[in-house]
Amino acid sequence: MSTDVEQTQPAAGSQPEPPQAPPARRPGELGIREMGRWSWRQLTSMRTALVLLLLLALAAVPGSVVPQDSVDSLAASRWRDSHTTLAPIYERLGLFSVYDSPWFSAIYLLLVVSLIGCIVPRTFVYWRGLRAKPPAAPRNLARLPEHAAYRVSASPHTVLEDARRELRRRRYRVRVDDDAGPEGGWVAAERGYLREAGNLLFHVSVIVVMVGFGLGGLFGYQGGVIVIQGTGFANNLSQYDDFNPGSLFDPTDMEPFSFTLDEFSAEWIESGAGRGMARGFQAGLTYQESPDAETEQYDLRVNHPLSIGDTDVFLIGHGYAPVITVRDTEGEVMYSQPVVFLPQDQGLLSYGVAKSTLSEPDVGLEGLFYPTYVMIDGDPVNVMGDDRNPTLSMEVFAGDLGLDDGSPQSIYVLDKDGAPKVTEEDGSRYRLDLQPGQTADLPDDLGSVTFEGVEPWTRVQISQTPGKEIALAGVVLALIGLLGSLFIRPRRIWVRARKADQGGGSMVEVAVLRRSSAGPEPDDEDAGPDELDKLVAALGGPADGTARGAGRAGRAGEDES
């Protein structure tokens, strides 16, 4: 039996095909691995780190200009209502929550990676330099910017030994020429290694600060609540008006404290350019750190928070809550409580609404509160924030306020779709203008409204920031590193001694090389412009500076070393 076998060898006399050459790459074309290395070098360069740091600072600007939901949701809500065109654009860009936005987080993380990539290689270089010996003396010390040459009667060995002792006394790291003999040799010394350590410490501190803020953003929370004078607050989620937790926040970590706002007071400027403006605020609190703890007193002021465990309570705003009572035609109370009015300007001209859903039909009130009301040329004007002439001016709406269907509704918004405005019998505009203690009867047998009085309210921000101690430590480290990099002067000194050609003794050369333009160290009495002269005098040379030579300015000596 025969079988056909496929020929795999070239036929006799034929030439094998040459191997295919890899396709040629265009000039400058990078492979995947090369592109990765190039990208990493670009990301971890100091230039990129500085650019990212600048971008982070610029990215934080909108957080200071645009009201943030995490800081003051009421202000952010009012801003949205006042800027209906820009609000949707800002929402898409995340400008109402800048520090939680993806683009801010991307810059933040890239900066951390860039700084780590900068610091780690520099740390290894610094470590090798820290362990290395001072460089040997250059061949020609006269080429260094600061040098001196003189003759002494001592032997070269004695001169070099004196130089070694003197430089070590001045806390230099010293290296002696291993080949020095009776004919001469050199001593090299160096100090100021901590300058680079200061630079590294400053960069590390930036990462520490960012890690501290990052931990606070992940595990902490911020919340806000308006507390009316005479009422209280307990630290649980249901009590907050707005609450912004971190992504890893655990509600069980909340401190079980509570407090009551006993009294709120403000100090007002009575004269001068700032007349009518507030100068200081104080909220007297009675608080308990836990339900079983003793009650304590605290005066809450701006920039003086109440700290309970890891939680801080800040005073960030205040206003007024007029006490409004609505009665039906029989005199029965349908609604009676303080109503929080939101300030519209620095004079605390405030806007608010009241909703009486027990009335038949529903009665809604919407209008303004004037702390100090005056009429100027027939127009109502509020002249200051102190409640010296409090006045309510409100319109009345009757009908369905949209609360019966169970859908959520802001307490600062009045749904007027099913509640037309109340007018006089002749169809003219009807408006309530009341001062404390006054009552007005409503048209159409809707009952009456009484302005009982005014209670102040204060807005507090409650925050828990677990990483604040780490951030504080980072700031302290940054200051230490910055001081070190500014005031530590790295410098090198070389002393060469050789046997004099005639008359005995030694020829001595001394050179100083300053490696930075930083100022002298505060505790170094030998540093300064006359450092070379002091060293020459300590080694037995002339003390009047006549040994100095006219060295060539530049870095030639350093290059030779």
Side-chain angles (χ1 to χ4, degrees):
M1 178 183 294
S2 65
T3 58
D4 294 333
V5 179
E6 182 179 357
Q7 288 259 352
T8 59
Q9 299 294 330
S14 63
Q15 296 295 327
E17 295 183 2
Q20 294 291 330
R25 291 193 299 182
R26 295 190 301 271
E29 184 178 358
L30 301 178
I32 296 178
R33 188 174 181 182
E34 294 166 328
M35 178 62 74
R37 288 180 176 176
W38 180 85
S39 301
W40 176 253
R41 285 196 299 269
Q42 296 301 313
L43 178 61
T44 56
S45 67
M46 185 57 65
R47 178 179 59 188
T48 302
L50 292 174
V51 170
L52 289 172
L53 189 60
L54 176 61
L55 286 177
L56 190 70
L58 293 177
V61 171
S64 303
V65 177
V66 181
Q68 299 294 289
D69 286 325
S70 60
V71 177
D72 193 345
S73 61
L74 295 178
S77 177
R78 293 202 302 271
W79 198 96
R80 290 185 180 95
D81 295 337
S82 303
H83 303 80
T84 55
T85 303
L86 287 177
I89 300 175
Y90 281 22
E91 287 282 4
R92 294 189 186 96
L93 295 176
L95 296 184
F96 292 110
S97 186
V98 168
Y99 308 111
D100 297 328
S101 62
W103 51 269
F104 188 88
S105 300
I107 298 174
Y108 193 93
L109 293 176
L110 284 175
L111 179 58
V112 172
V113 174
S114 179
L115 286 173
I116 293 175
C118 292
I119 292 171
V120 172
R122 287 182 62 181
T123 302
F124 285 111
V125 171
Y126 173 67
W127 178 250
R128 289 194 295 268
L130 192 64
R131 301 181 65 187
K133 295 180 179 180
R139 290 189 299 272
N140 188 359
L141 293 180
R143 298 180 64 187
L144 292 176
E146 295 182 74
H147 78 278
Y150 57 94
R151 182 170 181 168
V152 295
S153 59
S155 66
H157 175 75
T158 302
V159 172
L160 295 179
E161 182 63 23
D162 291 344
R164 182 188 65 81
R165 282 198 303 268
E166 178 65 20
L167 291 171
R168 283 186 174 174
R169 185 189 69 81
R170 300 187 182 193
R171 302 192 302 276
Y172 279 83
R173 192 171 61 177
V174 179
R175 174 186 176 186
V176 180
D177 183 8
D178 296 332
D179 299 327
E183 297 298 322
W186 49 262
V187 172
E190 187 174 12
R191 67 176 296 178
Y193 293 92
L194 291 181
R195 176 181 173 83
E196 179 62 16
N199 289 330
L200 291 173
L201 182 62
F202 179 80
H203 289 83
V204 170
S205 67
V206 175
I207 298 179
V208 172
V209 171
M210 297 179 71
V211 169
F213 282 119
L215 289 175
L218 289 174
F219 296 96
Y221 71 88
Q222 281 187 350
V225 62
I226 290 178
V227 183
I228 301 173
Q229 180 175 284
T231 63
F233 170 82
N235 191 33
N236 59 70
L237 294 177
S238 63
Q239 295 278 298
Y240 283 90
D241 295 333
D242 55 85
F243 191 80
N244 182 36
S247 55
L248 300 179
F249 168 71
D250 185 357
T252 59
D253 294 334
M254 298 178 69
E255 307 282 351
F257 67 86
S258 61
F259 64 82
T260 300
L261 176 60
D262 299 323
E263 183 181 5
F264 178 84
S265 60
E267 183 180 356
W268 303 92
I269 300 176
E270 299 290 344
S271 61
R275 181 180 179 182
M277 298 181 63
R279 179 162 49 194
F281 313 97
Q282 182 171 299
L285 303 181
T286 299
Y287 71 96
Q288 291 180 285
E289 295 189 2
S290 66
D292 300 330
E294 296 183 358
T295 59
E296 300 182 57
Q297 305 289 326
Y298 188 81
D299 291 331
L300 189 65
R301 293 172 292 157
V302 177
N303 298 326
H304 291 79
L306 168 63
S307 297
I308 301 175
D310 295 330
T311 306
D312 294 318
V313 181
F314 296 90
L315 174 63
I316 62 172
H318 73 107
Y320 294 104
V323 182
I324 300 175
T325 299
V326 178
R327 294 180 173 85
D328 61 11
T329 55
E330 303 296 329
E332 295 291 333
V333 175
M334 299 289 102
Y335 176 92
S336 182
Q337 65 182 51
V339 180
V340 173
F341 276 58
L342 301 179
Q344 305 298 299
D345 57 26
Q346 292 186 347
L348 298 185
L349 175 66
S350 305
Y351 167 84
V353 301
K355 307 173 186 179
S356 175
T357 57
L358 295 180
S359 302
E360 184 61 38
D362 295 345
V363 174
L365 306 174
E366 179 186 66
L368 298 174
F369 172 74
Y370 298 81
T372 303
Y373 174 87
V374 296
M375 289 292 292
I376 299 179
D377 297 332
D379 295 322
V381 176
N382 180 59
V383 296
M384 68 180 302
D386 196 8
D387 56 339
R388 300 188 178 183
N389 187 31
T391 302
L392 269 179
S393 181
M394 308 187 75
E395 293 181 328
V396 183
F397 299 83
D400 184 7
L401 298 180
L403 295 173
D404 295 335
D405 56 3
S407 58
Q409 189 180 116
S410 172
I411 62 172
Y412 306 108
V413 176
L414 189 64
D415 184 358
K416 295 173 282 190
D417 292 340
K421 185 184 297 185
V422 174
T423 60
E424 297 282 4
E425 293 182 359
D426 57 1
S428 60
R429 177 184 180 187
Y430 179 80
R431 192 174 190 91
L432 289 175
D433 291 309
L434 300 174
Q435 292 191 322
Q438 294 182 349
T439 300
D441 294 327
L442 301 178
D444 302 330
D445 295 329
L446 293 175
S448 64
V449 175
T450 303
F451 180 15
E452 306 284 359
V454 181
E455 293 290 349
W457 58 259
T458 181
R459 178 171 173 80
V460 297
Q461 176 182 292
I462 301 170
S463 61
Q464 190 177 82
T465 312
K468 60 184 179 181
E469 292 85 3
I470 297 177
L472 177 60
V475 172
V476 174
L477 291 177
L479 292 175
I480 295 174
L482 185 61
L483 292 175
S485 63
L486 289 177
F487 292 104
I488 294 178
R489 293 197 320 166
R491 55 193 181 273
R492 291 171 178 168
I493 293 179
W494 293 278
V495 178
R496 175 178 278 124
R498 60 180 175 83
K499 189 175 181 180
D501 295 335
Q502 296 178 354
S506 303
M507 293 299 300
V508 182
E509 290 181 282
V510 182
V512 176
L513 178 63
R514 306 179 192 279
R515 303 182 62 198
S516 74
S517 58
E521 298 174 43
D523 62 341
D524 189 355
E525 61 181 9
D526 297 319
D530 58 346
E531 180 180 14
L532 178 62
D533 298 333
K534 291 181 179 180
L535 180 59
V536 169
L539 297 180
D544 54 1
T546 56
R548 275 182 174 267
R552 291 171 53 189
R555 300 179 60 88
E558 186 180 7
D559 294 338
E560 289 189 18
S561 66

